[in-house]
Amino acid sequence: MTEPNPRRAPAGAAVLREDVTEAIRAAVFEELAAVGFARMSIEGIARRAGVGKTAVYRRWKSKLSLVLDLVGAFAAQGLPAPATGSLYGDVRALLDVAAHALSHPVASRVVPDLLVEAARHPEIADAVKAALLDGQQGVVARIVREAVARGELPEGADPDRALDLIAGPLYWRLVVVRTPPPPGYVDDLAHSAVAALTG
């Protein structure tokens, strides 16, 4: 009786190595920061990642799908929801995380470029909205809900208004004006946002 042949992977089945995928994702961030979305190319990404173009195309069909995947993955990570026990503490903690993320050298170059591209590509606009807005809306809604439960905010406090007051000035300074905040800026911003919400 002959031994049965061991099972083999189907011919042509590609195994995508996770380390290569991560190297490509890191290269996309670097390439976006260096040349922007419009000038970014699959060739440049592959060169930066130390892989062939086919390794990129096996995973993504175009630079647009690659960037959308990257922004979507960032959105899925979400922001940590602070739980300090006070409205000021939660607002301050949220501003700390956002300021740190937006001050990162790569993010400070990539985010403005993606916002420009969002005006041209509806798919990028949706992905950027999910990454920059939807996650923060959820976190701020929870901060407001818990502040209402503690009696720090009145019933019916508007989470969207809270997000505008908390994050708006920070985005303006770090993403639009692109000037480093002075010492104590985040503290002052947290106090101002809380005063506006409770006033």
Side-chain angles (χ1 to χ4, degrees):
M1 182 183 249
T2 58
E3 295 266 331
N5 288 332
R7 289 191 175 198
R8 291 169 41 188
V15 178
L16 300 180
R17 289 177 35 199
E18 190 57 32
D19 61 327
V20 172
T21 302
E22 288 310 309
I24 294 169
R25 285 188 172 125
V28 173
F29 268 121
E30 293 168 11
E31 192 75 356
L32 274 171
V35 302
F37 179 83
R39 292 177 52 212
M40 185 177 78
S41 67
I42 296 294
E43 291 82 0
I45 293 165
R47 188 168 46 252
R48 208 176 272 274
V51 300
K53 285 192 299 182
T54 53
V56 180
Y57 280 119
R58 258 190 228 117
R59 292 160 173 83
W60 299 277
K61 62 183 180 181
S62 66
K63 72 175 185 178
L64 178 58
S65 62
L66 209 170
V67 169
L68 293 178
D69 176 64
L70 202 64
V71 174
F74 177 77
Q77 291 175 3
L79 281 172
T84 65
S86 75
L87 177 59
Y88 171 79
D90 287 352
V91 169
R92 179 70 172 76
L94 179 61
L95 285 170
D96 260 343
V97 171
H100 179 74
L102 292 172
S103 299
H104 188 280
V106 173
S108 68
R109 291 190 296 272
V110 170
V111 171
D113 186 54
L114 287 179
L115 291 173
V116 169
E117 292 301 326
R120 300 186 188 109
H121 298 278
E123 306 98 320
I124 291 182
D126 291 342
V128 168
K129 178 181 177 291
L132 298 181
L133 179 61
D134 294 351
Q136 288 193 357
Q137 278 181 321
V139 170
V140 171
R142 179 174 165 182
I143 289 172
V144 168
R145 193 167 53 248
E146 291 178 357
V148 169
R150 287 190 300 263
E152 293 178 280
L153 289 176
E155 286 288 342
D158 183 1
D160 287 338
R161 178 173 176 267
L163 179 58
D164 291 346
L165 291 167
I166 295 166
L170 190 66
Y171 274 97
W172 177 260
R173 177 175 281 274
L174 296 180
V175 177
V176 180
V177 180
R178 299 178 77 176
T179 57
Y185 176 78
V186 174
D187 276 328
D188 290 345
L189 187 54
H191 280 296
S192 298
V194 169
L197 289 169
T198 57

